[in-house]
């Protein structure tokens, strides 16, 4: 068969075009597009993809092609990729790896995805303490092709226990005849295997380091977590927290890639729980039904009062959940948070009450909307606003702390949950105050 | 004077202890604590601090001590630090720098803090294309002490224009007699000076690179942004977005370090705007006052209906704002988003309506709460739920897109803003439906 590339007006595609179209393509189109990329661009593109994306490309490939792509990947990425497949396919893919990579991947699969062990790369630069600097540099130049990074070099004893660290740059700058032990730093920042990935990210960010070694109880180095993994972690964790604060279960995939069914499942749960919560509000209102049959004017201010509580609660819960996630506040700060939020809530409540009273006074002045009892009515609304906004602030701030204390995720104290709690308490506060203040007047 | 360290039982402090206490210390205590650290720990600790933290330490120092610390810092960090001081002090601090650093810092100060130019480090590893690999390595070993990173080496022509990039590792692996031009990559990922820092972060994260060069219109390299700067950016931007979605202005400092006054200022603005928004709801309710004087039972379901709209809107707005920030959806996807959210909203509304109707049916069955017209009443509530939840979903999803289209920050479509819009539209929908369906029965 004669092959001539000129005869076939081959479609071409740039990485840019494919990246743009990616979210709207189905699995088949993705693979077709991917195959249209020039080889080196295809490689770059493949490594940019998330594990899920890589899986969707591999799924359509024949075994031989799959194997070639798998073998290009470092073991930590392979482990993440395998998590996207079912158990049977996972086993089949594992057989495609060379023995040493398979062992590494199997070890990584034993860790939870969201802990240090699940994030680390088991291939890192290691030297012995008694090597000279020149020997170490020569040795690392040989090791380099198989490593993700050589920028931090870990100094290990015969049992793989961590003795110190030295950056490749420091090795370059040090006199060649010194020993590694003489130039290394002994105070190495390390993380344990089971540390949560968010905490690992915080440590790397806080110390401005490019990688951190993961050690077991005997201080043996199991792998390293590099800063580029951490960017993804920080972004993903923030997204999950945001979605939880927004009142839905965190999505597992980007917005447009989540199926409608999945999307509804993630949203319906909380909405239904909240609706059930609202039924308590219905019952609470029913207690006061006679009141607002007599004084329907009271109803006018109900949404304003309960929503203001919800809004101030939404602010407070967002602030505290995020501050906890960033390690800025801890459980033991609860008393300081309580005092701050009590003060904030009172001031904010007073500001809103002033604004609300002004509105009622103007309404009365211009339109005589509320009758002779307008001032008592205004005062009731005003006091309710102060109480509800203060309560909203307190509940919003303390609920995440209570949840953490009880071992739950603080981000479950979502804005809608706090708002729903405030709907109920707002109704109770408002009508209790109305009953006390307006008795014998409007009521 | 005889000095004996044994005579003075010097207080000591570990970095860990200081880091823990830091948020609750005032400026004086911070400096005192900082001075108790051993010299090398003090340096590590200083570089961990945010610019604000560094400023608070420097403020209490005498000129000589300040100068010493300033001179340890790379120019990009100095520039960030200076932004924490007033103009006069900034000028004074600038005089403490050596000439070349001062020039670099001045150049950096001309950029906005949140764009690539404001984030970059002007000191980076550069070589000429005609150097041999061995020459380049020797040259870089000499340059290394003054650079933040030597891991990417940029190849520049005589006019500082970017020709290519080669990693230090690749240089180490390449034959020493080859020229840099022969081993470099020409397809370098670059960013323009004015690119928003979030976009820079996304590019670094997407391509899994350790640094990206910042180039001007003539492709001259002005500096590099490294991945460790990006972790902070990603975290900060997520925090700001979260706070905006939570309905307050983004804080400039961590929660406990923000003064109460500032905290109230950041929160009061939106709360007051929202309260004014609620006044439209008051007016809307006033239109129907006669209705609920006749049928007070209608009021019972009002909070449930409007809050369900707010909750579904909060979910949708959080999803879309975050997806936009992550570059997962763009303006031109609006039609797909609209269709998805319309479908989601309808299904979610129907689910909630089913749940609501069940509650009313049971209430009627067991307690005869709602009288003979319970089914029509239930249907009114049910239809209102479907309409309000669907509308909430649509407003929540589309408002961020509209805001972006108009050039505003999509995150201003906060959950409380959407909820307040739904309070108003919920009232209108519910009472209009009630009027239509219950006319001649309850009304």
């Amino acid at each position: 068969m004669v092959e001539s590339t000129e005869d076939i007006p081959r479609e071409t595609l740039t990485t840019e075009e494919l990246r743009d179209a990616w979210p709207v393509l189905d699995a088949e189109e993705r693979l077709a597009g991917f195959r249209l990329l020039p080889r080196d661009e295809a490689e770059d593109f493949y490594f940019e993809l998330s594990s899920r994306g890589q899986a969707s490309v591999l799924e359509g490939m024949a075994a031989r092609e799959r194997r070639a792509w798998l073998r290009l990947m470092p073991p930590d990425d392979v482990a993440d990729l395998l998590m996207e497949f079912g158990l049977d396919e996972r086993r089949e893919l594992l057989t495609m790896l060379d023995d040493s990579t398979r062992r590494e991947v199997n070890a990584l699969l034993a860790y939870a995805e969201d802990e240090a062990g699940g994030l680390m790369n088991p291939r890192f630069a290691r030297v012995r303490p008694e090597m000279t600097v020149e020997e170490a540099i020569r040795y690392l130049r040989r090791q380099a092709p198989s490593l993700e990074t050589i920028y931090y070099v870990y100094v290990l004893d015969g049992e793989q226990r961590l003795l110190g660290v030295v950056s490749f740059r420091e090795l370059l700058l040090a006199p060649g005849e010194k020993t590694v032990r003489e130039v290394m730093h002994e105070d190495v920042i390390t993380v344990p295997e089971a540390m949560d990935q968010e905490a690992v990210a915080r440590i790397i960010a806080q110390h401005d380091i490019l990688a951190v070694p993961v050690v077991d109880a005997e201080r043996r180095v199991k792998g390293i977590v590099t800063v580029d993994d951490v960017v993804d972690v920080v972004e993903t964790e923030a997204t999950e927290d945001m979605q939880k604060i927004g009142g839905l279960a965190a999505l597992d995939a980007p917005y447009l890639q989540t199926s409608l069914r999945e999307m509804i499942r993630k949203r319906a749960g909380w909405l239904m729980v909240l609706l059930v919560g609202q039924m308590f509000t219905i019952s609470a209102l029913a207690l006061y039904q006679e009141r607002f049959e007599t004084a329907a004017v009271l109803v006018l201010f109900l949404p304003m009062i309960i929503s203001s509580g919800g809004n101030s609660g939404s602010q407070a819960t967002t602030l505290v959940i995020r501050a906890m996630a960033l390690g800025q506040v801890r459980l033991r700060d609860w008393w300081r948070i309580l005092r701050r939020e009590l003060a904030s809530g009172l001031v904010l409540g007073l500001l809103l009450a002033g604004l609300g009273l002004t509105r009622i006074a103007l309404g009365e002045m211009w339109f005589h909307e509320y009758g002779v009892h307008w001032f008592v009515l205004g005062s009731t609304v005003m006091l309710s606003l102060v109480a509800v906004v203060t309560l909203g602030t307190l509940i919003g701030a303390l609920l995440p702390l209570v949840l953490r204390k009880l071992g739950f995720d603080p981000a479950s104290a979502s804005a809608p949950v706090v708002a729903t709690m405030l709907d109920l308490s707002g109704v109770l506060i408002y009508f209790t105050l109305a009953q006390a203040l307006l008795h014998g007047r409007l009521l």
Side-chain angles (χ1 to χ4, degrees), chain A:
Chain A
M1 220 177 92
V2 182
E3 261 186 46
S4 158
T5 49
E6 260 122 300
D7 289 344
I8 311 154
R10 187 178 169 282
E11 249 190 290
T12 57
L13 202 64
T14 68
T15 310
E16 208 49 60
E17 288 165 344
L18 184 57
R19 196 183 290 135
D20 271 6
W22 197 256
V24 300
L25 299 180
D26 65 27
E28 226 171 285
E29 293 166 333
R30 286 181 177 181
L31 181 57
F34 181 70
R35 284 182 167 143
L36 287 179
L37 296 178
R39 172 70 196 190
D40 56 333
E41 283 189 34
E43 263 185 45
D44 286 348
F45 185 78
Y46 183 78
F47 283 107
E48 273 175 31
L49 286 176
S50 65
S51 302
R52 176 178 293 260
Q54 291 173 337
S56 82
V57 168
L58 288 189
E59 261 164 10
M61 289 182 176
R64 172 198 292 271
E65 200 178 358
R66 272 192 185 188
R67 182 199 312 266
W69 282 104
L70 266 189
R71 294 209 165 187
L72 283 177
M73 299 171 67
D76 51 339
D77 289 354
V78 175
D80 291 343
L81 174 70
L82 291 186
M83 299 303 289
E84 302 290 332
F85 289 92
L87 273 181
D88 286 349
E89 259 186 310
R90 206 180 289 173
R91 209 167 301 130
E92 196 194 312
L93 288 166
L94 272 169
T95 62
M96 294 182 173
L97 300 170
D98 61 78
D99 288 352
S100 87
T101 308
R102 184 165 52 243
R103 267 194 304 275
E104 289 170 328
V105 171
N106 268 323
L108 292 174
L109 286 174
Y111 293 105
E113 254 187 299
D114 62 351
E115 57 187 38
L119 202 62
M120 72 188 182
N121 187 333
R123 297 180 185 167
F124 56 92
R126 58 190 95 187
V127 296
R128 287 303 181 75
E130 61 274 9
M131 278 179 167
T132 66
V133 167
E134 274 306 328
E135 281 170 346
I137 292 175
R138 237 179 301 126
Y139 176 68
L140 288 168
R141 280 175 88 150
R142 280 202 309 275
Q143 281 194 343
S146 71
L147 301 175
E148 187 179 341
T149 171
I150 57 164
Y151 305 135
Y152 290 143
V153 180
Y154 299 95
V155 187
L156 308 185
D157 69 9
E159 261 83 62
Q160 304 293 312
R161 276 190 300 256
L162 184 64
L163 299 174
V165 69
V166 58
S167 76
F168 194 81
R169 191 161 98 163
E170 287 167 326
L171 283 180
L172 286 178
L173 295 172
E177 66 286 359
K178 282 212 174 183
T179 65
V180 167
R181 189 187 292 278
E182 289 174 288
V183 297
M184 75 183 188
H185 306 269
E186 288 179 27
D187 51 336
V188 194
I189 298 152
T190 63
V191 298
E193 297 157 282
M195 184 181 256
D196 181 79
Q197 60 177 0
E198 232 180 319
V200 177
R202 181 120 326 102
I203 284 176
I204 291 183
Q206 190 174 50
H207 295 279
D208 272 335
I209 48 184
L210 293 175
V212 68
V214 181
V215 298
D216 66 11
E218 276 79 47
R219 220 176 147 72
R220 282 188 297 253
V221 182
K222 314 302 276 185
I224 57 170
V225 177
T226 51
V227 67
D228 49 308
D229 300 324
V230 154
V231 177
D232 299 335
V233 169
V234 167
E235 212 155 64
T236 309
E237 297 277 351
T239 303
E240 286 181 9
D241 272 2
M242 254 185 239
Q243 291 172 345
K244 286 182 200 155
I245 296 174
L248 68 155
L251 301 185
D252 305 318
Y255 178 80
L256 287 176
Q257 266 121 285
T258 305
S259 70
L260 192 61
R261 190 195 170 81
E262 181 72 4
M263 183 71 90
I264 289 169
R265 223 172 49 74
K266 298 276 184 184
R267 290 156 80 160
W270 270 117
L271 283 184
M272 292 173 79
V273 169
L274 294 170
L275 193 86
V276 171
Q278 290 290 349
M279 290 179 184
F280 293 99
T281 309
I282 297 180
S283 306
L285 273 172
L287 296 176
Y288 300 102
Q289 189 164 347
E290 270 177 53
R291 300 285 159 239
F292 51 77
E293 272 168 359
T294 330
V297 69
L298 282 178
V299 174
L300 302 186
F301 303 99
L302 183 63
M304 178 175 83
I305 290 170
I306 60 181
S307 292
S308 296
N311 294 343
S312 65
S314 160
Q315 291 184 337
T317 202
T318 306
L319 278 173
V320 172
I321 292 172
R322 185 59 178 163
M324 286 172 84
L326 293 176
Q328 294 169 353
V329 304
R330 274 161 289 193
L331 267 185
R332 60 167 187 261
D333 296 316
W334 71 272
W335 177 240
R336 300 184 62 210
I337 298 172
L338 181 74
R339 278 182 317 177
R340 277 180 87 88
E341 292 300 319
L342 187 62
S344 304
L346 277 171
V347 176
L348 292 170
L350 286 169
L351 282 171
L352 295 191
L355 204 59
L357 189 63
T358 312
R359 163 70 176 77
I360 292 175
L362 290 178
E364 181 54 32
M365 246 169 60
W366 292 335
F367 309 109
H368 302 288
E369 280 178 323
Y370 309 114
V372 288
H373 298 302
W374 74 270
F375 186 75
V376 198
L377 178 68
S379 305
T380 307
V381 172
M382 204 175 107
L383 282 176
S384 303
L385 270 177
V386 176
V388 170
V389 168
T390 307
L391 187 68
T393 307
L394 287 181
I395 292 183
L398 296 183
L399 192 58
L401 295 169
V402 171
L403 287 172
R404 163 71 59 87
K405 178 78 189 171
L406 297 176
F408 295 107
D409 182 353
S412 311
S414 68
V417 168
V418 173
T420 301
M421 292 172 76
L422 265 297
D423 280 356
L424 175 59
S425 28
V427 163
L428 295 174
I429 290 174
Y430 179 43
F431 284 107
T432 307
L433 279 172
Q435 207 154 344
L437 294 175
L438 296 174
H439 189 73
R441 294 188 176 95
L442 277 171
L443 297 176

